[in-house]
Amino acid sequence: MRTARDHELRRHRADIGMVFQHFNLFPNMTALQNVMEGPVTVKGQKPDVVRPMASELLARVGLEDKANEHPIRLSGGQQQRVAIARALAMQPDVMLFDEPTSALDPELIGEVLSVMRSLATEFHMTMMVVTHEMGFAREVANRMCFFHDGVILEEGTPDDIFDHTREPETKKFLDAVL
């Protein structure tokens, strides 16, 4: 039996998009079908209504020519961009990214960061990103947190974190990755 709290949680979850570290695309579906799945299955929208929007989202992430490809035939960067389009198809208020570039080869990281950068700068999408891509974080973020052993050690603007580091663990991390 669902409670009022369950209903409220489901409503809030519908407003949050999630992009996983390892893509989590449906292997039996094409890129277009992956993007369409949420609005059709979860929101009950008609496929004929969702298809043009899904095609537009694939174009936005630079994959309009890959709409009919299955994930196995896409590079890691392409799969991650399909995952971003799939999350955007739900029209979320907030996007969560769990280390979206960590499973990618170095040459593919730029593809994904470029899409994320455009979400932040052109579309003003609110994003929470777990990342080790410090240059990207500094450029795009307006607030940052540095976690160590599951605890927030520092938080503030990118300038606070990068230029006025207070904690030795933060400094050690930044020295290692920059």
Side-chain angles (χ1 to χ4, degrees):
M1 182 160 117
R2 288 207 171 123
T3 66
R5 186 177 189 289
D6 292 337
H7 178 71
E8 186 176 334
L9 279 173
R10 290 176 60 83
R11 187 174 52 78
H12 286 298
R13 286 179 184 143
D15 295 332
I16 299 170
M18 179 72 193
V19 178
F20 299 93
Q21 187 174 25
H22 295 288
F23 327 130
N24 291 352
L25 298 176
F26 300 110
N28 60 318
M29 296 180 178
T30 65
L32 183 65
Q33 290 168 330
N34 264 280
V35 176
M36 292 175 59
E37 185 65 15
V40 171
T41 302
V42 176
K43 291 189 169 184
Q45 296 176 347
K46 302 271 187 238
D48 291 346
V49 173
V50 173
R51 188 172 286 106
M53 180 265 301
S55 293
E56 178 188 323
L57 288 171
L58 285 173
R60 184 186 296 177
V61 298
L63 294 174
E64 61 272 20
D65 61 329
K66 302 293 185 187
N68 295 315
E69 297 289 345
H70 285 81
I72 192 81
R73 301 198 35 91
L74 300 174
S75 71
Q78 290 169 332
Q79 288 182 54
Q80 192 63 296
R81 288 185 286 152
V82 171
I84 293 170
R86 180 180 63 186
L88 289 171
M90 296 297 287
Q91 300 175 321
D93 295 329
V94 177
M95 289 280 283
L96 306 178
F97 292 87
D98 177 21
E99 296 196 47
T101 59
S102 68
L104 301 178
D105 293 331
E107 65 271 12
L108 301 177
I109 291 172
E111 294 177 5
V112 173
L113 293 181
S114 176
V115 170
M116 292 173 65
R117 187 175 290 107
S118 75
L119 291 176
T121 58
E122 295 171 39
F123 299 100
H124 307 290
M125 171 70 64
T126 299
M127 300 185 295
M128 182 176 286
V129 182
V130 176
T131 187
H132 291 97
E133 299 291 336
M134 293 296 99
F136 170 78
R138 184 173 200 165
E139 174 190 342
V140 175
N142 55 21
R143 297 288 300 164
M144 296 179 70
C145 294
F146 179 78
F147 285 78
H148 181 72
D149 290 337
V151 175
I152 297 175
L153 285 187
E154 293 196 52
E155 65 179 300
T157 67
D159 286 343
D160 293 337
I161 301 298
F162 287 94
D163 299 332
H164 307 289
T165 305
R166 295 183 320 266
E167 300 295 330
E169 290 87 353
T170 309
K171 180 165 179 24
K172 182 178 175 183
F173 173 78
L174 291 174
D175 288 346
V177 298
L178 296 178

